């Protein structure tokens, strides 16, 4: 693997600074350089000469979503300028150029760069479409061997795709090492592209947006109606087409489309990338999208508050949004799988069906026609669109989903020209582009043969393992899967990743199975989020029916299940990612280790629905914060409990796994995996390591508490917030219950209490709050609106 210990980014604009920020996120010291401002060329003040780079770095603290895991990582970014600090580029192992998209400027920069370049240093351009080979014309063979394109998608921290574009002379070993480094360290999904205009993702994605614009005009639809079809209904992001365009910026889109238009070799493609009159008019009016305050959508003040209005293309004025309602959209919502959903849409004869079919047909044919020009295989195309545009299925996977043979027959009936290789593939008796053979995924390979899909050994797909018969047992809420090396994985898959009785049942079953037959247990999932907490709908129904016995039993069962994870005589490793909230955190805390994805947002957020943690969360946080503290050391103990009280009372959620350490949701020795696809593998290795090291389950611990004195301290703080109007009477009641539990109740300061004692008072407080009408109102509001109610 490429040994990149230090990097440099040339260009501190939005993209350059964000790339430097992500390098800092993963622990790589980075030199961020920009030009000396024109008005400061004669200045000797280094601060003034570094002003542009400094502005780029400072922007990282203000942008949303946040480019940095934590503000502290910015210390790894050192700023400078491309005059005074250019020689320092010989200190680094990787130089990333992110200057203006102008070939002549880039060529001039590389000419300068080669004079200070240290042989062996990798140099790459973040260009979104300029030819990689043209950039380094005239450079030495050694320089060209170490040069390639590395096209990050914006924002670099969050977007998975990294397109790597080798030049004609790039050393294949460098390509392989950079691919490995990007996957392992940067957490990227890497696709190798050919040196063609806009590479893969932007080439197909821009084409798709162009034909969607045309279809909207042809069908007389509005952008809001189109977005009702081209979002989740088609397995694409909720922002769909025109909301996405507004977010990207219409000027940016016009530039990207123009790049293909200028560089395409055939007239048909040039015509396809001709910027539409609608877009030209909007750009002229400077209706560029969100950054300009209006694009295809605009926020408008009305009597009832702010509303989002959509552009009426006929009048070029904004109107209230319309909701498209068609039979096909309703059928798609009821579908049990994405293939069924897509089929319900594309084969329907209503306006939604016509739109979906037109877009799908055109994109599939375009992807097939350009396949050999832009990529080495269909897998690269599919991955590029999934990782770069957040599609659930890539073009060729979509073709399989809607039926390859059926769709091609319809295309022919409509007079479309089918690429010869697709015709030949079907003529050979093939009905799909992908299939599973002997437990391995295979796909069409250029040349008309089946070939095994190459997969990183660190990618463990729980879905594929279940297809291969590795399911040990399961129910609606969770599955227990053999992931190899005598390690089992408990996969959570309840409705909306919420914990209910079925999940608790599978935890208990997993504990017994692993104790008898396995070396360790990993807990993870493959849904959008790890776990968003307990099933509040079920709890609310029980509370409204005053089924207190059932609720008490439910909470006891959850507490006991969490306790069984702690006392299992095999190592248990939680592998959370995405939203990990409430009960999801409580499931992680008793585990021996947590191996979290870099993008993990952890928080005990129960106060948002008028509750406090009830599954052992308070007890576990006290265990973590008071570890090693002398119970007699009252001065040290109270501030620690204050920290917990504030984190839970304010429903603090970490913005990354790195920040989760600040709240002790993660401990210093818990691991962080940058690439979520590698998460289960890494957690499995941790479990194996613990087992081989002679694992022994932790013994129950007595916990020092601040007692009645500390309870009064916490309560006084909450009372101050009540009197100043920062919290409501019901917030104060919740804070009082939380303070009582975290202080250990009515015991003297410094008392050592058992874990079970804390669980008991935690459960009592939880049950008393769920009986409150205002808590039930909060729960109901959260279920209906998806946000907390302040009452």
């Amino acid at each position: 693997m490429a040994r990149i210990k230090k990097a440099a980014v040339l260009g501190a604009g939005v993209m350059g600074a964000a790339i430097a920020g992500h390098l800092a996120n993963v622990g790589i010291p980075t030199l961020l350089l920009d030009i000396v401002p024109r008005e400061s060329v004669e200045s000797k003040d280094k601060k003034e000469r570094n002003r542009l780079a400094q502005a780029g770095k400072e922007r990282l603290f203000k942008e949303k979503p946040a480019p940095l895991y934590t503000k502290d990582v910015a210390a790894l970014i050192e700023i400078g300028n491309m005059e005074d600090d250019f020689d320092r580029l010989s200190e680094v192992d990787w130089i990333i150029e992110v200057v203006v998209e102008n070939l002549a400027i880039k060529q001039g920069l590389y000419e300068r760069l080669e004079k200070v370049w240290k042989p062996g240093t990798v140099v790459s351009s973040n260009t979104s479409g300029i030819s990689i080979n043209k950039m380094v014309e005239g450079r030495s063979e050694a320089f060209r061997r170490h040069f390639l394109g590395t096209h990050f998608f914006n924002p670099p921290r969050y977007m998975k795709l990294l397109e790597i574009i080798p030049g004609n002379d790039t050393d294949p070993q460098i390509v392989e090492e950079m691919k490995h480094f990007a996957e392992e360290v940067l957490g990227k999904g890497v696709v190798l592209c050919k040196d063609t205009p806009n590479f893969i993702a932007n080439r197909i994605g821009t084409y798709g947006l162009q034909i969607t614009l045309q279809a909207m005009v042809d069908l007389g639809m509005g952008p809001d109606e189109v977005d009702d079809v081209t979002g989740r209904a088609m397995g694409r992001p909720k922002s769909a087409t025109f909301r996405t365009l507004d977010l990207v910026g219409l000027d940016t889109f016009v530039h990207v489309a123009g790049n293909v238009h200028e560089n395409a070799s055939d007239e048909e493609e040039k015509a396809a990338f001709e910027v539409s009159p609608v877009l030209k008019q909007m750009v002229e009016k400077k209706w560029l999208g969100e950054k300009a305050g209006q694009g295809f959508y605009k926020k408008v003040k009305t009597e009832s508050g702010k509303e989002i209005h959509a552009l009426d293309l006929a009048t070029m004025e904004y109107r209230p949004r319309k909701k498209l309602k068609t039979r096909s959209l309703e059928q798609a919502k009821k579908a049990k799988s994405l293939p069924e959903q897509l089929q319900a849409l594309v084969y329907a004869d209503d306006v939604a069906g016509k739109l979906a079919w037109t877009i799908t047909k055109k994109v599939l044919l375009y992807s097939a026609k350009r396949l050999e020009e832009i990529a080495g295989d269909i897998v690269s195309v599919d991955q590029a669109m999934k990782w770069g545009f957040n599609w659930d299925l890539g073009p060729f996977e979509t073709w399989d989903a809607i039926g390859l043979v059926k769709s091609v027959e319809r295309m022919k009936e409509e007079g479309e020209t089918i690429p010869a290789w697709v015709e030949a593939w079907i003529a050979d008796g093939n009905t799909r582009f992908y299939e599973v053979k002997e437990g391995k995924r295979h796909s069409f390979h250029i040349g008309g043969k089946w070939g095994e899909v190459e997969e990183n050994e660190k990618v463990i797909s729980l879905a594929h393992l279940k297809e291969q018969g590795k399911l040990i047992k399961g129910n609606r809420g969770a599955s227990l899967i053999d992931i190899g090396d005598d390690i089992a994985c408990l996969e959570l898959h309840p409705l909306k990743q919420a914990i209910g009785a079925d999940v608790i049942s599978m935890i208990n079953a997993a504990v017994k199975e692993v104790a008898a037959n396995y070396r360790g247990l990993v807990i993870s999932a493959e849904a959008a989020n790890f776990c968003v907490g307990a099933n509040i709908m079920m709890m609310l129904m029980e509370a409204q029916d005053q089924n207190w016995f059932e609720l008490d039993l439910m909470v006891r069962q959850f507490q006991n299940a969490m306790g069984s994870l702690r006392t299992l005589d095999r190592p248990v490793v939680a592998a959370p990612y995405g939203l990990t909230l409430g009960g999801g955190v409580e499931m992680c805390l008793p585990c021996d280790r947590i191996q979290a994805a870099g993008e993990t947002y952890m928080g005990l957020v129960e106060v948002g629905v008028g509750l406090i943690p009830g599954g052992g969360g308070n007890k576990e946080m006290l265990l973590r914060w008071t570890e090693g503290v002398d119970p007699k050391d009252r001065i040290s103990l109270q501030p620690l409990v204050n920290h917990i009280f504030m984190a839970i009372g304010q429903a603090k959620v970490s913005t990354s796994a790195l920040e989760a350490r600040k709240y002790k949701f993660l401990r210093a020795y818990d691991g962080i995996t940058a690439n979520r696809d590698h998460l289960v593998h890494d957690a499995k290795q941790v479990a194996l390591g613990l087992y081989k090291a002679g694992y022994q389950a932790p013994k129950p611990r007595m916990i020092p508490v601040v007692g009645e004195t500390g309870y009064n301290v916490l309560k006084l703080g909450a009372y101050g917030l009540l009197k100043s109007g920062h919290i409501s009477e019901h917030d104060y009641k919740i804070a009082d219950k939380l303070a009582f539990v975290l202080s250990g109740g009515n015991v003297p300061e410094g008392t050592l209490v058992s874990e079970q004692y804390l669980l008991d008072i935690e459960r009592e407080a939880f049950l008393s709050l769920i009986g409150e009408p205002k808590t039930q109102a909060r729960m109901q509001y959260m279920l209906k609106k998806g946000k907390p109610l302040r009452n």
Side-chain angles (χ1 to χ4, degrees):
M1 186 173 81
R3 292 179 58 82
I4 293 172
K5 295 181 179 178
K6 188 173 183 180
V9 176
L10 307 182
V14 171
M15 200 65 186
I19 290 171
H22 190 56
L23 291 168
N25 284 337
V26 296
I28 298 172
T30 301
L31 183 62
L32 178 62
L33 306 183
D34 209 313
I35 60 171
V36 176
R38 287 180 186 176
E39 63 274 20
S40 308
V41 171
E42 302 301 324
S43 174
K44 293 184 179 179
D45 182 351
K46 191 70 186 287
K47 187 175 180 180
E48 174 60 27
R49 292 169 70 81
N50 290 348
R51 180 158 52 83
L52 295 179
Q54 180 64 35
K57 181 176 178 179
E58 288 176 358
R59 199 165 49 245
L60 296 174
F61 299 112
K62 302 169 187 172
E63 287 185 353
K64 291 183 179 180
L68 304 175
Y69 281 171
T70 69
K71 290 182 179 180
D72 295 343
V73 303
L76 289 171
I77 302 173
E78 184 182 359
I79 62 162
N81 67 72
M82 285 197 256
E83 298 299 328
D84 307 327
D85 304 292
F86 207 69
D87 290 353
R88 294 192 57 197
L89 296 174
S90 62
E91 301 171 8
V92 306
D93 308 300
W94 181 19
I95 301 167
I96 310 166
E97 169 268 304
V98 200
V99 303
V100 64
E101 287 284 81
N102 179 295
L103 179 59
I105 290 174
K106 290 179 187 287
Q107 287 175 330
L109 179 60
Y110 290 126
E111 185 178 0
R112 275 187 70 201
L113 179 56
E114 188 169 9
K115 294 172 183 174
V116 300
W117 175 68
K118 178 183 68 180
T121 299
V122 177
V123 182
S124 70
S125 174
N126 185 60
T127 181
S128 58
I130 294 177
S131 170
I132 298 302
N133 290 300
K134 285 182 180 177
M135 282 190 220
V136 286
E137 284 178 353
R139 305 281 58 77
S140 69
E141 182 186 350
F143 189 89
R144 295 197 308 272
R145 282 179 59 238
H146 289 81
F147 181 78
L148 67 163
T150 49
H151 179 214
F152 288 82
F153 272 60
N154 193 27
R157 170 183 166 181
Y158 301 96
M159 291 303 292
K160 188 173 179 66
L161 180 62
L162 175 67
E163 291 180 320
I164 288 184
I165 311 98
N168 293 337
D169 301 314
T170 309
D171 184 341
Q173 182 66 26
I174 296 290
V175 176
E176 191 54 39
E177 287 180 356
M178 288 304 293
K179 179 178 184 290
H180 188 60
F181 171 80
E183 290 173 342
E184 293 284 317
V185 180
L186 300 180
K188 295 297 172 189
V190 175
V191 168
L192 300 183
C193 307
K194 295 184 180 180
D195 188 16
T196 55
N198 288 10
F199 314 127
I200 296 176
N202 276 344
R203 181 81 169 262
I204 294 172
T206 306
Y207 176 82
L209 287 164
Q210 285 282 91
I211 56 107
T212 303
L213 266 165
Q214 188 58 52
M216 173 173 67
V217 173
D218 292 345
L219 291 167
M221 300 176 73
D224 44 353
E225 295 170 310
V226 171
D227 281 353
D228 284 339
V229 180
T230 61
R232 294 309 301 150
M234 288 183 68
R236 307 216 182 145
K238 285 169 70 176
S239 56
T241 302
F242 297 105
R243 178 75 182 116
T244 298
L245 263 177
D246 275 2
L247 290 168
V248 168
L250 273 63
D251 52 342
T252 302
F253 174 77
V254 167
H255 170 77
V256 174
N259 190 49
V260 182
H261 183 261
E262 289 171 25
N263 294 290
S265 53
D266 74 61
E267 293 306 312
E268 184 186 350
E269 187 162 28
K270 277 186 180 292
F273 282 89
E274 180 75 48
V275 177
S276 77
V278 171
L279 274 182
K280 283 181 181 175
Q281 189 177 349
M282 292 176 73
V283 171
E284 284 168 10
K285 289 175 177 284
K286 302 207 180 300
W287 296 356
L288 304 179
E290 192 160 280
K291 62 187 173 186
Q294 64 187 107
F296 284 99
Y297 295 98
K298 179 183 180 180
K299 281 185 181 175
V300 176
K301 286 184 179 178
T302 66
E303 292 179 2
S304 56
K306 283 188 178 180
E307 290 181 5
I308 296 175
H309 285 196
L311 183 65
D312 187 317
L313 299 182
T315 63
M316 293 303 284
E317 293 180 357
Y318 292 90
R319 55 157 176 78
R321 281 194 295 183
K322 298 176 185 174
K323 189 77 176 169
L324 185 66
K325 293 184 178 179
T326 67
R327 182 179 173 82
S328 62
L329 282 171
E330 288 303 312
Q331 288 179 326
K333 283 179 185 175
K334 295 173 184 175
K336 294 179 180 177
S337 66
L338 185 51
E340 288 179 18
Q341 189 174 310
L342 287 169
Q343 289 172 38
L345 265 178
V346 300
Y347 294 122
D349 197 32
D350 56 28
V351 68
K354 288 173 183 175
L355 176 72
W357 169 251
T358 300
I359 296 167
T360 302
K361 174 180 72 171
K362 296 284 188 185
V363 168
L364 299 187
L365 289 172
Y366 182 78
S367 301
K369 186 174 182 179
R370 297 296 164 194
L371 175 63
E372 290 191 60
E373 177 191 344
I374 64 176
D377 51 56
I378 67 169
V379 177
S380 295
V381 173
D382 284 342
Q383 289 177 330
M385 298 316 297
K386 289 191 290 184
W387 294 338
F389 280 76
N390 292 320
W391 292 7
D392 290 353
L393 298 175
F396 297 99
E397 291 171 325
T398 298
W399 222 330
D400 280 357
I402 66 171
L404 174 59
V405 176
K406 179 180 178 180
S407 61
V408 166
E409 285 174 356
R410 180 176 172 182
M411 291 172 190
K412 285 182 179 178
E413 288 170 7
E414 294 174 355
E416 300 290 352
T417 302
I418 311 300
W421 72 264
V422 177
E423 293 260 40
W425 183 246
I426 294 172
D428 283 346
N430 297 298
T431 59
R432 302 181 60 81
F433 289 120
Y434 291 93
E435 67 178 24
V436 176
K437 298 179 180 180
E438 298 176 356
K440 300 285 185 181
R441 198 168 181 234
H442 289 68
S443 70
F444 163 86
H445 275 215
I446 291 173
K449 297 178 180 178
W450 284 102
E452 190 176 326
V453 176
E454 288 184 24
E455 291 185 344
N456 189 314
E457 63 178 12
K458 289 193 172 184
V459 176
I460 295 177
S461 168
L462 300 178
H464 289 171
L465 287 173
K466 285 190 281 190
E467 288 172 2
Q468 294 165 27
K470 301 294 183 182
L471 177 68
I472 302 166
K473 57 181 65 177
N475 62 24
R476 289 182 63 188
S479 298
L480 189 64
I481 303 159
D482 187 330
I483 58 173
D485 297 315
D486 290 330
I487 301 292
C489 179
L490 180 68
E491 178 200 12
L492 307 176
H493 48 73
L495 182 65
K496 295 185 178 179
Q497 294 82 62
I499 301 166
D502 44 8
V503 174
I504 294 170
S505 172
M506 275 307 301
I507 291 172
N508 293 330
V511 165
K512 289 179 183 176
E513 182 69 29
V514 170
N517 300 309
Y518 289 85
R519 294 176 172 184
L521 176 66
V522 168
I523 304 174
S524 198
E526 285 188 342
N529 296 297
F530 175 72
C531 180
V532 297
N535 187 332
I536 61 172
M537 180 182 285
M538 179 177 64
M539 292 192 299
L540 176 61
M541 289 169 63
E542 296 288 2
Q544 288 175 332
D545 290 341
Q546 299 186 2
N547 292 331
W548 308 122
F549 176 80
E550 285 80 358
L551 272 169
D552 181 69
L553 180 62
M554 195 184 301
V555 179
R556 282 178 190 272
Q557 286 175 337
F558 186 46
Q559 288 184 341
N560 291 340
M562 298 305 99
S564 69
L565 293 176
R566 174 177 283 283
T567 56
L568 176 62
D569 64 353
R570 298 287 187 274
V572 181
V573 181
Y577 59 86
L579 291 176
T580 302
L581 306 175
V585 174
E586 289 182 301
M587 194 179 297
C588 295
L589 295 179
C591 296
D592 300 293
R593 292 287 188 279
I594 299 175
Q595 185 70 31
E599 298 299 337
T600 303
Y601 318 117
M602 302 183 82
L604 291 165
V605 296
E606 286 84 351
V607 295
V609 288
L611 298 167
I612 66 167
N618 302 286
K619 180 262 292 184
E620 290 292 336
M621 293 304 287
L622 282 167
L623 275 169
R624 285 166 181 246
W625 280 88
T626 62
E627 191 170 9
V629 175
D630 185 343
K632 296 175 184 175
D633 186 358
R634 299 170 184 178
I635 295 173
S636 296
L637 195 56
Q638 185 68 53
L640 300 178
V641 177
N642 293 351
H643 273 295
I644 307 170
F645 182 68
M646 293 299 289
I648 298 176
Q650 295 179 344
K652 293 286 188 181
V653 177
S654 72
T655 59
S656 65
L658 197 61
E659 195 186 46
R661 286 186 173 148
K662 170 183 170 184
Y663 302 114
K664 291 193 189 288
F665 297 136
L666 296 188
R667 297 151 295 196
Y669 51 79
D670 286 325
I672 297 174
T673 295
N675 192 328
R676 183 180 144 188
D677 289 347
H678 300 177
L679 185 60
V680 172
H681 168 275
D682 291 354
K684 173 183 165 183
Q685 297 309 310
V686 172
L688 279 171
L690 289 170
Y691 178 83
K692 290 174 181 176
Y695 174 80
Q696 289 186 337
K699 301 293 185 288
R701 221 183 82 194
M702 299 298 286
I703 304 168
V705 293
V706 292
E708 198 167 358
T709 305
Y711 169 49
N712 289 327
V713 170
L714 297 175
K715 197 173 175 181
L716 183 62
Y719 186 72
L721 292 172
L722 173 66
K723 285 302 175 185
S724 62
H726 287 90
I727 63 174
S728 68
E729 287 281 356
H730 192 56
D731 290 326
Y732 180 67
K733 184 174 285 188
I734 298 163
D736 179 38
K737 296 289 184 183
L738 179 62
F740 185 81
V741 173
L742 291 177
S743 63
N746 296 318
V747 296
E749 185 178 10
T751 300
L752 289 168
V753 300
S754 70
E755 293 184 35
Q756 188 58 54
Y757 168 81
L758 286 171
L759 287 173
D760 289 341
I761 61 171
E762 178 177 307
R763 187 176 66 257
E764 288 165 12
F766 180 93
L767 291 169
S768 70
L769 283 171
I770 204 170
E772 293 281 344
K774 286 189 175 181
T775 284
Q776 293 177 17
R778 289 189 180 194
M779 295 171 77
Q780 204 149 12
Y781 193 84
M782 178 63 76
L783 288 166
K784 188 176 180 180
K785 302 282 188 179
K787 56 186 179 182
L789 169 69
R790 296 302 302 274
N791 60 355

